[in-house]
Coordinates of all heavy atoms in Angstrom, one line a residue:
Q1 N 95.1 92.4 95.2 CA 95.5 92.5 96.6 C 96.5 91.4 96.9 O 96.4 90.3 96.3 CB 94.2 92.2 97.5 CG 93.2 93.3 97.4 CD 92.9 93.9 98.8 OE1 93.0 93.2 99.8 NE2 92.6 95.2 98.8
A2 N 97.4 91.7 97.8 CA 98.3 90.6 98.3 C 97.6 89.9 99.4 O 96.7 90.4 100.0 CB 99.6 91.3 98.9
V3 N 97.9 88.6 99.6 CA 97.2 87.8 100.5 C 98.2 87.3 101.6 O 99.3 86.9 101.2 CB 96.4 86.6 99.9 CG1 95.8 85.7 100.9 CG2 95.4 87.1 98.9
M4 N 97.8 87.4 102.8 CA 98.6 87.0 103.9 C 97.8 86.0 104.7 O 96.6 86.2 104.9 CB 99.0 88.2 104.8 CG 99.7 87.8 106.1 SD 100.1 89.2 107.1 CE 98.5 89.5 107.9
A5 N 98.4 84.9 105.2 CA 97.7 83.9 106.0 C 97.9 84.3 107.5 O 99.0 84.6 107.9 CB 98.2 82.5 105.7
A6 N 96.9 84.2 108.2 CA 97.0 84.5 109.7 C 96.3 83.3 110.4 O 95.3 82.7 109.9 CB 96.3 85.8 110.0
A7 N 96.7 83.0 111.6 CA 96.1 82.0 112.4 C 94.7 82.4 112.7 O 94.4 83.5 113.1 CB 96.9 81.7 113.7
H8 N 93.7 81.5 112.6 CA 92.3 81.7 112.9 C 92.2 81.8 114.4 O 92.9 81.1 115.2 CB 91.5 80.6 112.4 CG 90.0 80.9 112.4 ND1 89.2 80.8 113.5 CD2 89.2 81.3 111.4 CE1 88.0 81.1 113.2 NE2 87.9 81.5 111.9
P9 N 91.4 82.8 114.9 CA 91.3 83.0 116.4 C 91.0 81.8 117.2 O 91.4 81.6 118.3 CB 90.3 84.1 116.5 CG 90.2 84.8 115.2 CD 90.6 83.7 114.2
D10 N 90.1 80.9 116.6 CA 89.7 79.7 117.4 C 90.7 78.5 117.3 O 90.5 77.4 117.7 CB 88.3 79.3 117.0 CG 88.2 78.7 115.6 OD1 89.3 78.6 114.9 OD2 87.1 78.5 115.1
G11 N 91.9 78.8 116.6 CA 92.9 77.8 116.5 C 92.6 76.8 115.4 O 93.4 75.8 115.2
Q12 N 91.6 77.0 114.6 CA 91.2 76.0 113.6 C 91.7 76.4 112.2 O 91.0 76.9 111.3 CB 89.7 75.9 113.5 CG 89.0 75.5 114.8 CD 89.4 74.1 115.2 OE1 89.5 73.2 114.4 NE2 89.7 73.9 116.5
G13 N 93.0 76.3 112.0 CA 93.6 76.6 110.7 C 94.0 78.1 110.5 O 94.3 78.7 111.5
T14 N 94.0 78.5 109.3 CA 94.4 79.9 109.0 C 93.3 80.6 108.3 O 92.4 80.0 107.7 CB 95.6 79.9 108.1 OG1 95.4 79.3 106.9 CG2 96.8 79.3 108.9
V15 N 93.4 81.9 108.2 CA 92.5 82.8 107.5 C 93.3 83.6 106.6 O 94.4 84.1 106.9 CB 91.8 83.8 108.5 CG1 90.9 84.8 107.8 CG2 91.0 83.0 109.6
A16 N 92.8 83.8 105.3 CA 93.5 84.6 104.3 C 93.0 86.1 104.5 O 91.9 86.3 104.7 CB 93.2 84.1 102.9
I17 N 94.0 86.9 104.6 CA 93.7 88.4 104.8 C 94.3 89.1 103.6 O 95.5 89.0 103.2 CB 94.4 88.9 106.1 CG1 93.9 88.1 107.3 CG2 94.2 90.4 106.2 CD1 94.7 88.4 108.5
G18 N 93.4 89.9 102.9 CA 93.8 90.7 101.8 C 94.4 92.0 102.2 O 94.0 92.6 103.2
M19 N 95.5 92.4 101.6 CA 96.1 93.7 101.9 C 96.5 94.3 100.6 O 96.8 93.6 99.6 CB 97.2 93.5 102.8 CG 98.4 92.8 102.3 SD 99.8 92.7 103.5 CE 99.2 91.4 104.5
P20 N 96.5 95.6 100.5 CA 97.0 96.3 99.3 C 98.4 95.9 99.0 O 99.3 95.8 99.9 CB 96.9 97.8 99.7 CG 96.0 97.9 100.9 CD 96.1 96.6 101.6
P21 N 98.7 95.7 97.7 CA 100.1 95.3 97.3 C 101.1 96.3 97.8 O 102.2 95.9 98.2 CB 100.0 95.3 95.8 CG 98.6 95.1 95.5 CD 97.8 95.8 96.6
A22 N 100.8 97.6 97.8 CA 101.8 98.6 98.3 C 102.1 98.4 99.8 O 103.3 98.6 100.2 CB 101.3 100.0 98.0
F23 N 101.1 98.1 100.6 CA 101.3 97.8 102.0 C 102.2 96.6 102.2 O 103.1 96.6 103.0 CB 100.0 97.7 102.7 CG 100.2 97.4 104.2 CD1 100.6 98.4 105.1 CD2 100.0 96.1 104.7 CE1 100.8 98.1 106.4 CE2 100.1 95.9 106.1 CZ 100.6 96.9 106.9
A24 N 101.9 95.5 101.4 CA 102.7 94.3 101.5 C 104.1 94.5 101.1 O 105.0 94.1 101.8 CB 102.0 93.2 100.6
A25 N 104.3 95.3 100.1 CA 105.7 95.6 99.6 C 106.4 96.5 100.7 O 107.6 96.2 101.0 CB 105.6 96.4 98.3
F26 N 105.7 97.4 101.3 CA 106.3 98.2 102.3 C 106.8 97.3 103.5 O 107.9 97.5 104.0 CB 105.3 99.3 102.8 CG 105.9 100.2 103.9 CD1 106.4 101.4 103.6 CD2 105.8 99.8 105.2 CE1 107.0 102.2 104.5 CE2 106.3 100.6 106.2 CZ 106.9 101.8 105.9
C27 N 105.9 96.5 103.9 CA 106.2 95.6 105.0 C 107.4 94.7 104.7 O 108.3 94.5 105.5 CB 105.0 94.7 105.4 SG 103.6 95.6 106.1
L28 N 107.4 94.1 103.5 CA 108.6 93.2 103.2 C 109.9 94.0 103.1 O 110.9 93.5 103.5 CB 108.3 92.6 101.8 CG 107.2 91.5 101.8 CD1 106.9 91.0 100.4 CD2 107.7 90.3 102.7
R29 N 109.8 95.2 102.6 CA 111.0 96.1 102.5 C 111.6 96.4 103.8 O 112.8 96.5 104.0 CB 110.6 97.3 101.7 CG 111.8 98.2 101.4 CD 111.4 99.3 100.4 NE 112.3 100.3 100.5 CZ 112.0 101.6 100.7 NH1 110.7 101.9 100.8 NH2 112.9 102.5 100.8
H30 N 110.7 96.6 104.8 CA 111.2 97.1 106.1 C 111.3 96.1 107.2 O 111.9 96.3 108.3 CB 110.3 98.3 106.6 CG 110.4 99.5 105.8 ND1 109.7 99.7 104.6 CD2 111.1 100.6 105.9 CE1 110.0 100.9 104.1 NE2 110.8 101.4 104.9
L31 N 110.7 94.9 107.0 CA 110.6 93.9 108.1 C 111.9 93.5 108.7 O 112.0 93.5 109.9 CB 109.8 92.7 107.5 CG 109.6 91.6 108.6 CD1 108.6 92.1 109.6 CD2 108.9 90.4 107.9
D32 N 112.9 93.2 107.9 CA 114.1 92.7 108.5 C 114.8 93.8 109.4 O 115.2 93.5 110.6 CB 115.1 92.3 107.4 CG 116.5 91.9 108.0 OD1 116.4 90.9 108.8 OD2 117.5 92.5 107.7
I33 N 114.8 95.0 109.0 CA 115.4 96.1 109.8 C 114.6 96.4 111.0 O 115.1 96.5 112.1 CB 115.6 97.4 108.9 CG1 116.6 97.1 107.8 CG2 116.0 98.6 109.8 CD1 116.8 98.2 106.8
Y34 N 113.3 96.4 110.9 CA 112.4 96.6 112.1 C 112.6 95.5 113.1 O 112.7 95.8 114.3 CB 110.9 96.6 111.6 CG 110.4 97.8 110.9 CD1 111.2 98.9 110.6 CD2 109.1 97.9 110.6 CE1 110.7 100.0 109.9 CE2 108.5 99.0 110.0 CZ 109.4 100.0 109.6 OH 108.9 101.1 109.0
L35 N 112.7 94.2 112.6 CA 113.0 93.1 113.6 C 114.3 93.2 114.3 O 114.4 93.0 115.5 CB 112.9 91.8 112.8 CG 111.5 91.4 112.4 CD1 111.5 90.2 111.5 CD2 110.6 91.1 113.6
R36 N 115.3 93.6 113.5 CA 116.7 93.8 114.1 C 116.7 94.9 115.1 O 117.3 94.8 116.2 CB 117.7 94.0 113.0 CG 117.9 92.7 112.1 CD 118.8 93.0 110.9 NE 120.1 93.6 111.3 CZ 120.8 94.3 110.4 NH1 120.3 94.6 109.2 NH2 121.9 94.8 110.8

């Protein structure tokens, strides 16, 4: 699994979130164009 860090809801650091590698790759591939 790919791991992404996200802010913890109570503001106390971050939480590691596992995601399928294919999803992480998809997001990385499309992120710049989606943002633009």
Side-chain angles (χ1 to χ4, degrees):
Q1 294 236 331
V3 177
M4 175 181 77
H8 195 278
D10 66 8
Q12 303 295 318
T14 59
V15 175
I17 300 171
M19 66 179 79
F23 179 74
F26 181 93
C27 291
L28 288 173
R29 183 168 160 237
H30 292 85
L31 183 61
D32 179 62
I33 294 170
Y34 285 4
L35 288 170
R36 291 172 54 207

